[in-house]
Amino acid sequence: MEEFISAIDIGTTKICALLAGVTHDSLGNLALRVLGEGTSVSQGIRRGVVVNVTEAIACIGEAIERCETDAGQHMESAYVGIAGSHIATLNSKGVSPVDARQGVTMHDMQRALEGARAVALPQSKEIVHTIAREWIVDGQNNVQHPLGMSGFRLEVDAHVVTGSSMAIKDITQCVTAHDVAVDELVLEPLAANEAVLRADERRMGVAVVDIGGGTTDIAVFLEDALCHTIVLDMGGNHFSQDIAVGLHAPFETCEELKLRYGSVLPESVPEDDKVWATVFGEKAERSFSRRFICEILEARAVEMLEIIGTKLDESGYYDHLSAGVVLTGGSSQVPGLTELGRSVLAMPVRIGTPSNRLPVTGMSRTLQSPAYSTSIGLLLWGLHEDARKIRQNYAQPRQGIDWKNRALDFLRGLLP
Ligand SMILES: Nc1ncnc2c1ncn2[C@@H]1O[C@H](COP(=O)(O)OP(=O)(O)OP(=O)(O)O)[C@@H](O)[C@H]1O
Ligand SMILES: [Mg+2]
Protein backbone atom coordinates (compact mmCIF):
# COMPACT_ATOMS: atom_id res chain seq x y z
CA MET A 1 0.00 0.00 0.00
CA GLU A 2 1.80 3.14 -1.15
CA GLU A 3 -0.86 5.72 -1.31
CA PHE A 4 -3.00 6.97 1.54
CA ILE A 5 -6.15 9.07 1.71
CA SER A 6 -7.33 10.79 4.87
CA ALA A 7 -10.53 12.56 5.83
CA ILE A 8 -11.54 14.94 8.61
CA ASP A 9 -15.26 15.39 9.23
CA ILE A 10 -15.70 18.45 11.42
CA GLY A 11 -19.20 18.22 12.86
CA THR A 12 -21.10 20.18 15.48
CA THR A 13 -21.12 17.25 17.90
CA LYS A 14 -18.14 15.11 16.89
CA ILE A 15 -14.89 15.28 14.92
CA CYS A 16 -13.94 12.16 12.98
CA ALA A 17 -10.51 11.67 11.41
CA LEU A 18 -9.88 8.64 9.17
CA LEU A 19 -6.78 7.37 7.41
CA ALA A 20 -7.12 4.77 4.65
CA GLY A 21 -4.80 3.00 2.26
CA VAL A 22 -5.57 2.77 -1.46
CA THR A 23 -5.85 -0.85 -2.61
CA HIS A 24 -7.68 -2.80 -5.28
CA ASP A 25 -10.72 -5.03 -5.03
CA SER A 26 -10.91 -8.50 -6.56
CA LEU A 27 -11.89 -6.97 -9.94
CA GLY A 28 -8.90 -4.64 -9.94
CA ASN A 29 -10.92 -1.50 -9.19
CA LEU A 30 -9.53 1.09 -6.81
CA ALA A 31 -10.70 0.56 -3.22
CA LEU A 32 -9.90 1.72 0.30
CA ARG A 33 -8.86 0.01 3.49
CA VAL A 34 -9.45 1.98 6.69
CA LEU A 35 -6.22 1.85 8.72
CA GLY A 36 -6.91 4.41 11.42
CA GLU A 37 -9.90 6.03 13.05
CA GLY A 38 -10.03 8.82 15.63
CA THR A 39 -12.97 10.71 17.06
CA SER A 40 -13.34 13.49 19.60
CA VAL A 41 -16.14 15.58 21.06
CA SER A 42 -16.56 18.73 19.01
CA GLN A 43 -15.88 22.02 20.76
CA GLY A 44 -15.66 25.53 19.41
CA ILE A 45 -17.70 24.63 16.31
CA ARG A 46 -21.30 25.64 15.93
CA ARG A 47 -23.49 24.89 12.96
CA GLY A 48 -20.51 23.99 10.81
CA VAL A 49 -18.58 27.16 11.59
CA VAL A 50 -15.60 27.68 13.93
CA VAL A 51 -16.67 29.97 16.80
CA ASN A 52 -13.66 29.38 19.07
CA VAL A 53 -10.40 28.72 17.22
CA THR A 54 -8.42 27.52 20.26
CA GLU A 55 -11.05 24.95 21.25
CA ALA A 56 -11.58 23.85 17.65
CA ILE A 57 -7.84 23.37 17.07
CA ALA A 58 -7.58 21.31 20.27
CA CYS A 59 -10.43 18.91 19.53
CA ILE A 60 -9.49 18.49 15.85
CA GLY A 61 -5.95 17.71 17.04
CA GLU A 62 -7.30 15.10 19.45
CA ALA A 63 -9.13 13.29 16.63
CA ILE A 64 -6.10 13.46 14.31
CA GLU A 65 -3.79 12.17 17.03
CA ARG A 66 -6.06 9.23 17.87
CA CYS A 67 -6.33 8.39 14.19
CA GLU A 68 -2.56 8.56 13.69
CA THR A 69 -1.96 6.34 16.74
CA ASP A 70 -4.53 3.85 15.48
CA ALA A 71 -2.99 3.81 12.00
CA GLY A 72 0.58 3.93 13.27
CA GLN A 73 1.56 6.69 10.87
CA HIS A 74 1.39 10.44 10.31
CA MET A 75 -1.51 11.99 8.42
CA GLU A 76 0.07 14.18 5.77
CA SER A 77 -2.99 15.65 4.14
CA ALA A 78 -6.76 15.22 4.33
CA TYR A 79 -10.04 15.90 2.58
CA VAL A 80 -11.96 18.13 4.98
CA GLY A 81 -15.74 18.54 5.19
CA ILE A 82 -17.33 21.97 5.11
CA ALA A 83 -20.94 23.03 5.84
CA GLY A 84 -22.82 25.89 7.48
CA SER A 85 -25.32 28.53 6.45
CA HIS A 86 -22.54 30.62 4.83
CA ILE A 87 -22.57 28.10 1.96
CA ALA A 88 -24.46 29.30 -1.11
CA THR A 89 -24.85 27.74 -4.54
CA LEU A 90 -25.58 28.98 -8.04
CA ASN A 91 -25.64 27.58 -11.54
CA SER A 92 -23.33 29.08 -14.13
CA LYS A 93 -22.23 28.42 -17.71
CA GLY A 94 -18.79 28.37 -19.32
CA VAL A 95 -17.59 27.99 -22.90
CA SER A 96 -14.40 26.85 -24.62
CA PRO A 97 -13.46 26.59 -28.30
CA VAL A 98 -12.40 23.11 -29.43
CA ASP A 99 -9.71 22.25 -31.95
CA ALA A 100 -11.71 20.08 -34.38
CA ARG A 101 -8.60 18.07 -35.35
CA GLN A 102 -8.10 16.61 -31.86
CA GLY A 103 -11.61 16.76 -30.41
CA VAL A 104 -12.46 17.81 -26.84
CA THR A 105 -9.43 17.66 -24.55
CA MET A 106 -9.19 17.83 -20.78
CA HIS A 107 -7.73 21.30 -21.25
CA ASP A 108 -10.90 22.44 -23.08
CA MET A 109 -13.02 21.03 -20.26
CA GLN A 110 -10.94 22.86 -17.67
CA ARG A 111 -11.16 26.11 -19.68
CA ALA A 112 -14.97 25.81 -19.87
CA LEU A 113 -15.14 25.18 -16.10
CA GLU A 114 -12.87 28.20 -15.52
CA GLY A 115 -15.39 30.26 -17.51
CA ALA A 116 -18.21 29.00 -15.28
CA ARG A 117 -16.19 30.11 -12.23
CA ALA A 118 -16.14 33.69 -13.48
CA VAL A 119 -19.12 34.79 -11.39
CA ALA A 120 -19.37 38.10 -9.55
CA LEU A 121 -18.75 37.37 -5.87
CA PRO A 122 -18.50 39.74 -2.91
CA GLN A 123 -14.96 39.97 -1.49
CA SER A 124 -15.95 38.01 1.60
CA LYS A 125 -16.94 34.94 -0.48
CA GLU A 126 -14.95 32.37 -2.41
CA ILE A 127 -15.61 29.33 -4.57
CA VAL A 128 -15.48 25.91 -2.89
CA HIS A 129 -16.50 23.69 -5.84
CA THR A 130 -17.29 24.03 -9.53
CA ILE A 131 -19.03 20.83 -10.56
CA ALA A 132 -20.11 20.08 -14.13
CA ARG A 133 -23.83 19.23 -14.28
CA GLU A 134 -24.02 18.87 -18.04
CA TRP A 135 -21.73 19.29 -21.06
CA ILE A 136 -22.91 20.60 -24.40
CA VAL A 137 -20.86 19.92 -27.57
CA ASP A 138 -21.82 22.01 -30.62
CA GLY A 139 -25.32 22.49 -29.21
CA GLN A 140 -25.84 18.81 -28.37
CA ASN A 141 -27.16 18.68 -24.79
CA ASN A 142 -26.80 16.12 -22.03
CA VAL A 143 -23.28 14.97 -22.86
CA GLN A 144 -21.87 13.27 -19.76
CA HIS A 145 -18.27 12.65 -20.82
CA PRO A 146 -17.27 14.98 -23.68
CA LEU A 147 -13.59 13.97 -23.66
CA GLY A 148 -12.51 13.03 -27.19
CA MET A 149 -15.78 14.07 -28.86
CA SER A 150 -15.52 15.95 -32.14
CA GLY A 151 -16.77 19.50 -32.34
CA PHE A 152 -15.90 23.19 -32.40
CA ARG A 153 -17.53 24.50 -29.24
CA LEU A 154 -17.76 23.05 -25.74
CA GLU A 155 -20.17 24.46 -23.15
CA VAL A 156 -20.60 23.45 -19.53
CA ASP A 157 -23.54 23.96 -17.23
CA ALA A 158 -21.92 23.97 -13.79
CA HIS A 159 -22.97 24.06 -10.16
CA VAL A 160 -20.86 26.57 -8.26
CA VAL A 161 -20.64 26.26 -4.47
CA THR A 162 -19.40 29.31 -2.58
CA GLY A 163 -18.57 29.89 1.07
CA SER A 164 -17.45 32.64 3.40
CA SER A 165 -13.70 33.29 3.03
CA MET A 166 -13.35 33.70 6.79
CA ALA A 167 -15.13 30.42 7.59
CA ILE A 168 -12.96 28.63 5.00
CA LYS A 169 -9.80 30.19 6.42
CA ASP A 170 -10.74 29.21 9.98
CA ILE A 171 -11.46 25.56 9.11
CA THR A 172 -8.25 25.34 7.06
CA GLN A 173 -6.20 26.90 9.87
CA CYS A 174 -7.59 24.42 12.43
CA VAL A 175 -6.34 21.52 10.28
CA THR A 176 -3.01 22.93 9.09
CA ALA A 177 -2.14 23.82 12.71
CA HIS A 178 -1.54 20.07 13.14
CA ASP A 179 0.85 19.79 10.22
CA VAL A 180 -1.86 18.25 8.05
CA ALA A 181 -2.34 19.85 4.62
CA VAL A 182 -5.84 20.27 3.20
CA ASP A 183 -6.24 18.28 -0.05
CA GLU A 184 -9.64 19.83 -0.67
CA LEU A 185 -12.57 21.26 1.25
CA VAL A 186 -15.62 19.18 0.36
CA LEU A 187 -19.22 20.24 0.88
CA GLU A 188 -20.54 17.71 3.42
CA PRO A 189 -23.71 16.59 1.58
CA LEU A 190 -21.57 15.89 -1.51
CA ALA A 191 -19.37 13.67 0.62
CA ALA A 192 -22.38 11.96 2.23
CA ASN A 193 -23.80 11.21 -1.23
CA GLU A 194 -20.70 9.16 -2.04
CA ALA A 195 -21.34 6.91 0.95
CA VAL A 196 -25.11 6.37 0.85
CA LEU A 197 -26.61 6.91 -2.61
CA ARG A 198 -26.97 4.24 -5.25
CA ALA A 199 -26.28 5.06 -8.91
CA ASP A 200 -29.88 4.28 -9.93
CA GLU A 201 -31.20 6.70 -7.29
CA ARG A 202 -28.93 9.47 -8.58
CA ARG A 203 -30.20 8.79 -12.09
CA MET A 204 -33.90 8.74 -11.16
CA GLY A 205 -33.76 11.84 -8.93
CA VAL A 206 -32.99 11.81 -5.22
CA ALA A 207 -32.21 14.14 -2.33
CA VAL A 208 -29.67 13.10 0.29
CA VAL A 209 -30.54 14.79 3.59
CA ASP A 210 -27.79 14.65 6.23
CA ILE A 211 -29.35 15.57 9.60
CA GLY A 212 -26.42 16.07 11.96
CA GLY A 213 -26.25 17.78 15.34
CA GLY A 214 -26.29 21.41 14.22
CA THR A 215 -26.93 21.43 10.48
CA THR A 216 -29.06 19.63 7.94
CA ASP A 217 -27.30 19.39 4.59
CA ILE A 218 -29.17 18.54 1.41
CA ALA A 219 -27.89 17.64 -2.06
CA VAL A 220 -30.24 16.93 -4.98
CA PHE A 221 -29.19 14.62 -7.84
CA LEU A 222 -31.01 14.06 -11.10
CA GLU A 223 -29.83 12.18 -14.21
CA ASP A 224 -26.60 11.40 -12.40
CA ALA A 225 -25.74 15.07 -11.91
CA LEU A 226 -25.71 17.33 -8.88
CA CYS A 227 -28.51 19.89 -9.33
CA HIS A 228 -28.93 21.71 -6.09
CA THR A 229 -27.48 21.99 -2.58
CA ILE A 230 -29.06 23.41 0.56
CA VAL A 231 -27.55 23.86 4.03
CA LEU A 232 -30.03 24.47 6.87
CA ASP A 233 -29.24 25.65 10.39
CA MET A 234 -31.07 22.87 12.20
CA GLY A 235 -30.26 19.41 13.48
CA GLY A 236 -30.48 16.94 16.34
CA ASN A 237 -29.51 19.55 18.94
CA HIS A 238 -32.87 21.23 18.31
CA PHE A 239 -34.65 18.02 19.34
CA SER A 240 -32.77 17.91 22.65
CA GLN A 241 -33.17 21.66 23.15
CA ASP A 242 -36.95 21.41 22.70
CA ILE A 243 -37.14 18.66 25.33
CA ALA A 244 -34.99 20.84 27.64
CA VAL A 245 -37.44 23.72 27.24
CA GLY A 246 -40.46 21.43 27.70
CA LEU A 247 -39.13 19.73 30.87
CA HIS A 248 -37.07 22.64 32.30
CA ALA A 249 -34.15 20.21 32.45
CA PRO A 250 -30.45 20.54 31.44
CA PHE A 251 -29.55 19.92 27.77
CA GLU A 252 -27.31 16.90 28.52
CA THR A 253 -30.11 15.16 30.46
CA CYS A 254 -32.51 15.74 27.57
CA GLU A 255 -29.96 14.54 24.99
CA GLU A 256 -29.79 11.27 26.91
CA LEU A 257 -33.59 11.04 27.21
CA LYS A 258 -33.83 11.56 23.44
CA LEU A 259 -31.29 8.83 22.69
CA ARG A 260 -32.79 6.30 25.13
CA TYR A 261 -36.52 6.90 24.89
CA GLY A 262 -37.07 9.14 21.87
CA SER A 263 -39.40 8.50 18.93
CA VAL A 264 -41.24 10.82 16.56
CA LEU A 265 -44.28 8.54 16.62
CA PRO A 266 -45.82 9.18 20.09
CA GLU A 267 -48.72 6.78 19.41
CA SER A 268 -46.25 3.91 19.19
CA VAL A 269 -45.24 4.50 22.83
CA PRO A 270 -47.44 3.04 25.64
CA GLU A 271 -49.52 5.83 27.19
CA ASP A 272 -48.40 5.09 30.77
CA ASP A 273 -44.62 4.79 30.09
CA LYS A 274 -42.69 7.03 32.49
CA VAL A 275 -39.12 8.39 32.37
CA TRP A 276 -37.15 10.02 35.19
CA ALA A 277 -35.04 13.17 35.03
CA THR A 278 -33.67 15.91 37.28
CA VAL A 279 -34.97 19.37 36.47
CA PHE A 280 -33.42 22.77 37.19
CA GLY A 281 -33.70 23.89 40.81
CA GLU A 282 -34.53 20.43 42.23
CA LYS A 283 -32.30 17.67 43.62
CA ALA A 284 -34.66 14.68 43.40
CA GLU A 285 -35.67 13.20 40.05
CA ARG A 286 -39.15 13.74 38.67
CA SER A 287 -41.17 11.46 36.45
CA PHE A 288 -42.39 12.52 33.01
CA SER A 289 -44.63 10.90 30.47
CA ARG A 290 -42.48 9.31 27.74
CA ARG A 291 -45.26 10.03 25.28
CA PHE A 292 -45.05 13.76 26.11
CA ILE A 293 -41.34 13.72 25.19
CA CYS A 294 -42.12 11.93 21.94
CA GLU A 295 -44.82 14.53 21.16
CA ILE A 296 -42.18 17.25 21.52
CA LEU A 297 -39.90 15.32 19.14
CA GLU A 298 -42.75 14.73 16.69
CA ALA A 299 -43.60 18.47 16.56
CA ARG A 300 -39.97 19.39 15.79
CA ALA A 301 -39.55 16.56 13.27
CA VAL A 302 -42.71 17.60 11.39
CA GLU A 303 -41.45 21.20 11.29
CA MET A 304 -38.02 20.06 10.01
CA LEU A 305 -39.53 17.81 7.35
CA GLU A 306 -41.89 20.58 6.24
CA ILE A 307 -38.97 23.02 5.90
CA ILE A 308 -37.05 20.38 3.90
CA GLY A 309 -40.14 19.89 1.68
CA THR A 310 -40.53 23.66 1.17
CA LYS A 311 -36.85 24.08 0.29
CA LEU A 312 -37.02 21.20 -2.19
CA ASP A 313 -40.18 22.73 -3.66
CA GLU A 314 -38.51 26.15 -3.99
CA SER A 315 -35.56 24.51 -5.75
CA GLY A 316 -37.96 23.27 -8.43
CA TYR A 317 -36.84 19.63 -8.02
CA TYR A 318 -39.52 18.32 -5.63
CA ASP A 319 -41.53 16.73 -8.44
CA HIS A 320 -38.42 15.16 -9.98
CA LEU A 321 -37.41 13.10 -6.97
CA SER A 322 -38.63 9.70 -8.19
CA ALA A 323 -36.25 7.90 -5.81
CA GLY A 324 -37.37 10.19 -2.99
CA VAL A 325 -35.24 11.17 -0.03
CA VAL A 326 -32.35 9.34 1.64
CA LEU A 327 -31.95 10.44 5.24
CA THR A 328 -28.54 10.12 6.87
CA GLY A 329 -26.50 11.73 9.69
CA GLY A 330 -26.77 10.87 13.39
CA SER A 331 -30.24 12.34 13.79
CA SER A 332 -31.74 10.24 11.00
CA GLN A 333 -31.71 7.46 13.60
CA VAL A 334 -34.55 8.92 15.70
CA PRO A 335 -37.08 6.07 15.64
CA GLY A 336 -40.02 6.69 13.33
CA LEU A 337 -38.39 9.39 11.18
CA THR A 338 -38.69 7.42 7.93
CA GLU A 339 -42.41 6.73 8.48
CA LEU A 340 -43.05 10.37 9.43
CA GLY A 341 -40.93 11.52 6.47
CA ARG A 342 -42.98 9.43 4.03
CA SER A 343 -46.22 10.94 5.27
CA VAL A 344 -45.00 14.58 5.44
CA LEU A 345 -43.00 14.58 2.18
CA ALA A 346 -45.28 12.19 0.30
CA MET A 347 -42.38 10.34 -1.36
CA PRO A 348 -40.13 7.33 -0.68
CA VAL A 349 -37.86 7.82 2.32
CA ARG A 350 -35.08 5.51 3.52
CA ILE A 351 -32.11 5.71 5.86
CA GLY A 352 -28.67 5.72 4.22
CA THR A 353 -25.81 3.99 6.05
CA PRO A 354 -22.22 3.38 4.87
CA SER A 355 -22.49 -0.29 3.99
CA ASN A 356 -20.45 -3.28 2.90
CA ARG A 357 -21.28 -2.71 -0.76
CA LEU A 358 -18.92 0.33 -0.74
CA PRO A 359 -15.35 -0.12 -1.99
CA VAL A 360 -14.18 0.31 1.60
CA THR A 361 -12.92 -2.46 3.89
CA GLY A 362 -11.79 -2.32 7.48
CA MET A 363 -14.75 -0.23 8.67
CA SER A 364 -15.39 -0.68 12.41
CA ARG A 365 -18.97 -1.17 13.63
CA THR A 366 -18.97 2.46 14.81
CA LEU A 367 -18.30 3.68 11.28
CA GLN A 368 -21.17 1.63 9.85
CA SER A 369 -23.71 4.13 11.17
CA PRO A 370 -25.50 7.05 9.47
CA ALA A 371 -23.55 9.42 11.76
CA TYR A 372 -20.37 8.53 9.81
CA SER A 373 -21.73 8.78 6.25
CA THR A 374 -19.97 12.11 5.70
CA SER A 375 -16.67 10.81 7.14
CA ILE A 376 -16.64 7.71 4.92
CA GLY A 377 -17.95 9.82 2.01
CA LEU A 378 -14.96 12.17 2.36
CA LEU A 379 -12.60 9.21 1.93
CA LEU A 380 -14.55 8.08 -1.15
CA TRP A 381 -14.49 11.61 -2.56
CA GLY A 382 -10.72 11.51 -2.15
CA LEU A 383 -10.52 8.13 -3.89
CA HIS A 384 -12.58 9.37 -6.84
CA GLU A 385 -10.58 12.58 -6.95
CA ASP A 386 -7.43 10.43 -7.23
CA ALA A 387 -9.00 8.42 -10.04
CA ARG A 388 -10.01 11.67 -11.77
CA LYS A 389 -6.43 12.96 -11.52
CA ILE A 390 -5.12 9.74 -13.03
CA ARG A 391 -7.64 10.08 -15.89
CA GLN A 392 -6.67 13.75 -16.36
CA ASN A 393 -2.97 12.96 -16.47
CA TYR A 394 -3.65 10.24 -18.98
CA ALA A 395 -5.75 12.50 -21.15
CA GLN A 396 -3.29 15.37 -21.50
CA PRO A 397 -0.37 14.22 -23.64
CA ARG A 398 -0.45 17.37 -25.77
CA GLN A 399 -0.18 19.85 -22.91
CA GLY A 400 3.59 19.62 -22.49
CA ILE A 401 3.23 17.61 -19.30
CA ASP A 402 5.91 15.40 -17.74
CA TRP A 403 4.30 12.43 -19.40
CA LYS A 404 6.86 9.82 -18.37
CA ASN A 405 6.55 10.60 -14.67
CA ARG A 406 2.76 10.71 -14.80
CA ALA A 407 2.61 7.37 -16.52
CA LEU A 408 4.94 6.02 -13.84
CA ASP A 409 2.68 7.52 -11.14
CA PHE A 410 -0.29 5.88 -12.77
CA LEU A 411 1.41 2.52 -12.82
CA ARG A 412 2.50 2.98 -9.23
CA GLY A 413 -1.16 3.61 -8.35
CA LEU A 414 -2.04 0.22 -9.77
CA LEU A 415 0.35 -1.60 -7.48
CA PRO A 416 -1.29 -3.29 -4.49
N1 LIG B 1 -29.85 6.87 17.93
C1 LIG B 1 -30.07 8.17 17.83
N2 LIG B 1 -31.32 8.68 17.93
C2 LIG B 1 -31.52 10.00 17.82
N3 LIG B 1 -30.57 10.92 17.62
C3 LIG B 1 -29.32 10.47 17.53
C4 LIG B 1 -28.99 9.09 17.60
N4 LIG B 1 -27.65 8.95 17.49
C5 LIG B 1 -27.17 10.20 17.32
N5 LIG B 1 -28.17 11.10 17.35
C6 LIG B 1 -28.05 12.55 17.22
O1 LIG B 1 -27.29 12.84 16.07
C7 LIG B 1 -26.64 14.11 16.24
C8 LIG B 1 -25.21 13.97 15.81
O2 LIG B 1 -25.18 13.57 14.46
P1 LIG B 1 -23.87 13.67 13.59
O3 LIG B 1 -22.79 12.92 14.28
O4 LIG B 1 -24.24 13.29 12.22
O5 LIG B 1 -23.62 15.24 13.69
P2 LIG B 1 -22.31 16.09 13.39
O6 LIG B 1 -21.70 15.58 12.15
O7 LIG B 1 -21.46 16.17 14.61
O8 LIG B 1 -22.94 17.53 13.21
P3 LIG B 1 -23.20 18.43 11.90
O9 LIG B 1 -23.07 17.55 10.73
O10 LIG B 1 -24.58 18.94 12.10
O11 LIG B 1 -22.22 19.53 12.00
C9 LIG B 1 -26.77 14.48 17.72
O12 LIG B 1 -27.73 15.51 17.84
C10 LIG B 1 -27.28 13.19 18.35
O13 LIG B 1 -28.13 13.45 19.45
MG1 LIG C 1 -21.98 15.91 10.08
Side-chain angles (χ1 to χ4, degrees), residues 356-384:
N356 295 333
R357 70 178 173 78
L358 294 171
V360 185
T361 53
M363 274 196 281
S364 66
R365 278 182 72 87
T366 316
L367 292 180
Q368 293 175 44
S369 139
Y372 292 89
S373 301
T374 303
S375 322
I376 294 290
L378 282 167
L379 283 181
L380 288 166
W381 179 279
L383 181 72
H384 296 157

Side-chain angles (χ1 to χ4, degrees), residues 11-14 212-215 236-237 255 258-259 329-331 333-334 371:
T12 308
T13 58
K14 57 135 190 1
T215 63
N237 284 349
E255 172 77 13
K258 176 186 80 173
L259 296 179
S331 300
Q333 299 172 94
V334 188

Side-chain angles (χ1 to χ4, degrees), residues 140-163:
Q140 184 194 328
N141 286 4
N142 277 326
V143 175
Q144 284 208 328
H145 303 290
L147 193 65
M149 281 179 73
S150 327
F152 295 96
R153 179 187 163 90
L154 175 71
E155 289 167 74
V156 65
D157 198 349
H159 194 63
V160 180
V161 179
T162 68

